[in-house]
Amino acid sequence: MSHHPAQARPAPTALAVALALAAWPASQALAQEKTQLETVTITAERRVENIKDVPTAVSSVSGEKLDVLASGGQDVRFLSGRVPSLNIESSFGRAFPRFYLRGYGNTDFRLNASQPVSLIYDDVVQENPILKGFPVFDMKAVEVIAGPQGTLFGRNTPAGVVKFDSVRPSKKQDGYFSASYGTHGSATVEGAANVQLGGDWSARVSAQVQRRDDWVSNQVATGATKKTEGYDDRAVRLQALYEPNQGFSALFNVHNRELDGSPRLFRSSVIKPGTNDLADGFDPAKAYFDGKNEQRLHATGGSARIKWALDGFTLHSITGIEAVQPFSRADVDAGYINNFVQPPPFNGEGNVFWSSETSDALKDHRQLSQEFRLESNGSGPLRWQGGVYLFDERYTMESIDYLAAPADALVSTRQTNKAWALFGSINYRVSPDLNLRGGLRYTKDKKTLATTGTVNASAGTSASTNDSKVNWDLSGTYTLTPETNVYARVATGFRAASIYPASGFGPQSKARPETVTSYELGAKSEFWQRHARLSATLFSYEVKDQQLTAVGGTNNTNTLLNASKGEGRGFELNLELLPTDNLLLTLSTSYNDTKIKDRSLTMPQAGSGATMIGTPDANGNYSIYNNPLPNAPKWIANLTARYSMPTAAGNEFYVYTDWAYRSKVNFFLYKSVEFTGKPLTEGGLRVGYIWDNGKYEVAGFVRNITDKVVVNGAIDFNNLTGFINDPRTYGVQFKALF
């Protein structure tokens, strides 16, 4: 089926709007003396640059906006929908977020799953999906860099990079303390402070504690978990900086996370048959299951980042070590078998016809990474950087089936992954108005996997992969006016082969490496005498041998597949406006049209008897050709508004509201009525007072202000099992700077 021309029209319109606004005549500008938007600098190209000069789509979230979005104790998923084309979801809760950029991600829930969106925390790749959930606190900025980033970043970046940069130590005597309390006993206490060590040393201590009471009561009178959905999440970061002169610095980082809480609460029969509505009379505060739900996580890591300016170039060394030990146990069937415990509740919720209670854990996890990078530091038209990247990860996955015979309960899988890469890029200013960039990377990636235990061994119990690939990118930036740049970029990306271990539910499976080629055209401008900032991007990408995961069904399978091709196209828009000194507006939106382009791939009827969309073949299977990628909303939009009301004494009252929208999503590869997630709009409001030259702040906040409750994820067993978004949370917060 060809792409319908009407669906492509919004994209050129967006770029036309961007260029028209960028050319707004100076006569429309506000007075020169009015406050201007702050300059945004980013490190998307591994150097500090003005966001306007970087030839790729980048969104940056920092400062007050990060504080507001995290109000109420949200984990990293609070970023979902807050920048164009970013969606984040999880079937594990706080422990295992899955990231999607431009609709491109991975729904695999196994602990050895790889993702095409790379997460980088303080310059160190967090490869295992459990590492990606580290709490967000004391941040300088979060950068979301869309599209393939396979040249300069270390691991699996065909869809893009989400980059977290902590506040560095300094010799300033400053810090902050923040405490909040809200509904369901939710509380967050965090703070940071620079510590003066004397001489050429400085240090910074940052910590955060988040907790919430169990607010969902289990209505089943058995030995199961009685209450759930609470958590106690603690994290700390210690940094020490040695900086004897401007030419040398060594930054050391040690961090730890301890999580004790609940896995994602699965709710059987929560979807009304024949619709994607919640079951009649559904009560979010009640659940019906006969097993145990518990989750624990211990993570510790460290890094050393050395920067040494020599004659003509600067040497960077980044050494990282990460270790994580998660354990998550859940009543996966999400109910109680055959209603033998009690009569069914009002809507049959909790009724299942077979039981599944399992746990997953990582043991002996260790990730080592090392990067050496040389960067030119001359002032001429040519700049370059290049280096080598090394990666070594190993761990053991342990899965326990609590309903199996003791001898068959434990399945253990050992995986190792070693990779190395050579990379380089150049940046050449051809003229004052034209700047060209290009990059090249060679990657070698090897995996080994072996499984022991009672499993489906029809496809073997061990496997290995050995992949190599050259990636490249080329871009050009042209200065239309001193305020406006346009750019074009072509880039490729690569994700190494993946292995799914054999289990009691299904055989071992492998997926070949995937590659992506992306085309991007954009404009970035600061206009209205820097009271407005705009970026707009058109993009199109094609993934060859795209790795997909078929999950669910009556036998709880999880199978890796390769689609011969996947496609995506659309546009992204970011706009900031400062119409008056007292009002700041931001608006972002994106359109993503994704399609699976493989006529050979089919999926069976959903195990839950869901209402399938399409016509089955002679074997009762449904084609997924032209289906959208899972968890890939076509539309994402975000709006924020901050209005300030200064007082005569120099203090400030303010009102801050934020709203995020995503359109409907497919939860699985196939299409069905019940497993189509409804569009979701969530809003927040914060009202506060700041005094004593900005040193103190008190605020009231509410998240999910409309108390919108929808199914935002599902499990395809033999019932209509799903999970829901977080409820409305409101509370108060106090913050002090020192």
Side-chain angles (χ1 to χ4, degrees):
M1 183 181 294
S2 62
H3 181 65
H4 197 285
Q7 294 175 314
R9 287 176 191 150
T13 302
L15 191 59
V17 170
L19 294 174
L21 286 174
W24 196 327
S27 61
Q28 300 296 319
L30 299 179
Q32 284 278 5
E33 65 271 12
K34 190 170 293 297
T35 304
Q36 297 178 327
L37 291 171
E38 295 181 357
T39 299
V40 177
T41 59
I42 59 172
T43 56
E45 298 275 330
R46 309 297 296 275
R47 293 186 176 99
V48 177
E49 298 177 277
N50 189 316
I51 195 171
K52 180 168 65 72
D53 298 329
V54 178
T56 191
V58 185
S59 299
S60 181
V61 184
S62 61
E64 184 181 43
K65 186 172 183 178
L66 271 180
D67 292 341
V68 170
L69 297 179
S71 299
Q74 285 85 354
D75 59 274
V76 68
R77 287 172 292 170
F78 72 72
L79 292 169
S80 182
R82 303 301 174 171
V83 301
S85 296
L86 177 64
N87 189 35
I88 310 173
E89 54 86 29
S90 175
S91 57
F92 273 72
R94 300 173 72 86
F96 185 152
R98 294 188 287 250
F99 292 76
Y100 304 78
L101 269 171
R102 295 178 172 171
Y104 186 4
N106 184 11
T107 59
D108 195 341
F109 59 80
R110 307 304 284 184
L111 298 186
N112 70 329
S114 72
Q115 294 182 344
V117 179
S118 185
L119 190 141
I120 297 175
Y121 218 116
D122 291 333
D123 289 330
V124 176
V125 172
Q126 309 293 294
E127 176 64 15
N128 189 274
I130 300 297
L131 292 173
K132 299 177 190 289
F134 196 86
V136 182
F137 61 99
D138 197 25
M139 282 287 113
K140 177 184 177 183
V142 178
E143 297 176 14
V144 179
I145 313 167
Q149 300 296 328
T151 299
L152 290 177
F153 292 97
R155 293 283 301 162
N156 291 335
T157 64
V161 170
V162 181
K163 189 170 181 289
F164 295 82
D165 291 309
S166 304
V167 176
R168 290 164 60 99
S170 75
K171 295 187 182 298
K172 294 181 180 179
Q173 296 279 358
D174 64 5
Y176 74 93
F177 169 81
S178 174
S180 68
Y181 185 80
T183 51
H184 306 303
S186 59
T188 300
V189 177
E190 72 173 71
N194 288 321
V195 180
Q196 304 310 309
L197 302 179
D200 300 321
W201 287 88
S202 57
R204 188 173 181 89
V205 180
S206 312
Q208 182 190 74
V209 176
Q210 294 179 304
R211 69 167 309 279
R212 183 172 70 184
D213 292 338
D214 289 317
W215 62 276
V216 178
S217 297
N218 188 5
Q219 305 300 298
V220 179
T222 69
T225 299
K226 298 300 182 186
K227 301 195 74 174
T228 188
E229 285 289 89
Y231 55 80
D232 189 330
D233 202 351
R234 303 165 184 261
V236 62
R237 182 188 307 116
L238 308 176
Q239 298 181 85
L241 175 64
Y242 175 65
E243 199 166 24
N245 53 61
Q246 291 185 345
F248 182 86
S249 67
L251 178 58
F252 304 95
N253 177 317
V254 177
H255 48 270
N256 169 260
R257 182 190 188 191
E258 303 289 339
L259 170 64
D260 186 356
S262 306
R264 197 68 188 265
L265 177 58
F266 304 147
R267 301 169 183 262
S268 69
S269 303
V270 71
I271 304 170
K272 186 176 181 178
T275 75
N276 60 352
D277 297 328
L278 288 162
D280 294 337
F282 171 72
D283 184 348
K286 294 180 180 180
Y288 306 85
F289 59 92
D290 57 6
K292 291 186 178 180
N293 283 346
E294 56 182 330
Q295 187 174 79
R296 298 184 298 276
L297 186 154
H298 169 79
T300 302
S303 65
R305 289 177 283 169
I306 297 172
K307 181 180 178 181
W308 190 6
L310 302 170
D311 187 15
F313 60 87
T314 300
L315 171 65
H316 299 264
S317 172
I318 303 170
T319 306
I321 180 170
E322 301 288 344
V324 62
Q325 299 175 31
F327 172 84
S328 188
R329 176 177 178 174
D331 187 332
V332 184
D333 64 78
Y336 52 98
I337 189 166
N338 294 329
N339 289 335
F340 72 90
V341 177
Q342 63 179 38
F346 54 87
N347 58 5
E349 185 183 351
N351 185 33
V352 295
F353 304 101
W354 58 282
S355 291
S356 177
E357 186 176 344
T358 63
S359 69
D360 292 289
L362 284 184
K363 300 289 182 66
D364 303 320
H365 174 271
R366 186 267 288 145
Q367 174 193 294
L368 299 175
S369 60
Q370 174 65 55
E371 177 178 292
F372 295 107
R373 179 167 54 94
L374 291 176
E375 175 188 0
S376 65
N377 54 21
S379 58
L382 177 66
R383 296 198 302 171
W384 55 264
Q385 56 182 312
V388 60
Y389 178 79
L390 308 171
F391 178 87
D392 186 345
E393 184 182 40
R394 67 187 185 200
Y395 50 83
T396 299
M397 296 184 292
E398 289 188 352
S399 298
I400 298 176
D401 182 352
Y402 293 94
L403 303 180
D408 301 330
L410 175 64
V411 174
S412 180
T413 300
R414 181 71 170 173
Q415 177 166 306
T416 65
N417 186 190
K418 294 185 178 182
W420 61 270
L422 297 173
F423 63 92
S425 72
I426 58 172
N427 183 339
Y428 187 70
R429 183 163 291 281
V430 179
S431 70
D433 294 331
L434 178 62
N435 192 32
L436 300 179
R437 306 188 189 206
L440 198 65
R441 187 184 193 97
Y442 174 80
T443 302
K444 186 75 171 178
D445 189 287
K446 295 182 178 181
K447 290 188 179 79
T448 64
L449 179 146
T451 300
T452 58
T454 303
V455 298
N456 182 332
S458 60
T461 58
S462 63
S464 62
T465 66
N466 188 350
D467 306 312
S468 60
K469 185 66 178 177
V470 174
N471 290 115
W472 56 270
D473 61 68
L474 181 64
S475 61
T477 305
Y478 185 77
T479 302
L480 286 178
T481 70
E483 297 80 21
T484 302
N485 291 337
V486 294
Y487 72 88
R489 181 175 188 259
V490 183
T492 66
F494 162 71
R495 181 157 64 116
S498 298
I499 312 171
Y500 171 71
S503 70
F505 299 107
Q508 177 179 278
S509 58
K510 291 174 62 175
R512 299 184 301 276
E514 67 183 16
T515 58
V516 60
T517 303
S518 170
Y519 303 89
E520 190 172 308
L521 178 66
K524 300 183 180 184
S525 180
E526 293 176 343
F527 57 101
W528 208 4
Q529 297 201 356
R530 280 188 60 194
H531 301 111
R533 180 182 294 118
L534 175 72
S535 65
T537 306
L538 309 178
F539 64 85
S540 175
Y541 64 84
E542 179 180 289
V543 188
K544 291 184 178 180
D545 288 324
Q546 183 165 6
Q547 298 179 27
L548 301 175
T549 306
V551 299
T554 54
N555 58 352
N556 190 22
T557 58
N558 190 54
T559 305
L560 292 172
L561 307 169
N562 282 104
S564 58
K565 188 168 68 172
E567 294 179 348
R569 58 180 58 87
F571 72 84
E572 295 158 343
L573 183 74
N574 269 316
L575 177 65
E576 295 177 76
L577 291 173
L578 188 66
T580 73
D581 281 348
N582 298 339
L583 179 62
L584 174 64
L585 303 171
T586 71
L587 171 67
S588 69
T589 188
S590 58
Y591 174 81
N592 288 268
D593 183 23
T594 63
K595 283 184 169 58
I596 299 169
K597 308 295 284 189
D598 190 329
R599 295 184 183 274
S600 68
L601 292 181
T602 61
M603 294 291 121
Q605 163 74 43
S608 59
T611 308
M612 303 294 285
I613 298 174
T615 303
D617 61 18
N619 298 316
N621 294 329
Y622 292 78
S623 172
I624 63 171
Y625 181 74
N626 269 344
N627 284 3
L629 294 172
N631 290 304
K634 278 194 173 183
W635 288 98
I636 287 176
N638 175 245
L639 170 69
T640 72
R642 187 188 193 278
Y643 185 71
S644 170
M645 294 163 280
T647 69
N651 301 323
E652 177 193 24
F653 289 98
Y654 71 87
V655 178
Y656 192 118
T657 187
D658 64 282
W659 293 85
Y661 167 82
R662 66 137 177 86
S663 58
K664 67 179 183 179
V665 293
N666 262 18
F667 294 142
F668 303 116
L669 296 176
Y670 58 75
K671 288 183 178 180
S672 70
V673 173
E674 290 85 349
F675 293 141
T676 300
K678 285 179 173 292
L680 177 61
T681 301
E682 286 189 320
L685 179 67
R686 185 181 179 93
V687 179
Y689 178 66
I690 300 173
W691 73 98
D692 197 6
N693 295 315
K695 289 184 178 180
Y696 303 103
E697 176 183 356
V698 63
F701 63 85
V702 56
R703 307 301 304 163
N704 190 8
I705 190 170
T706 61
D707 204 19
K708 181 74 170 179
V709 180
V710 300
V711 176
N712 65 354
I715 301 178
D716 177 13
F717 287 162
N718 62 353
N719 49 18
L720 294 173
T721 297
F723 38 89
I724 62 173
N725 58 314
D726 277 345
R728 178 166 54 202
T729 302
Y730 52 88
V732 294
Q733 180 178 356
F734 170 77
K735 186 173 183 178
L737 307 180
F738 54 86

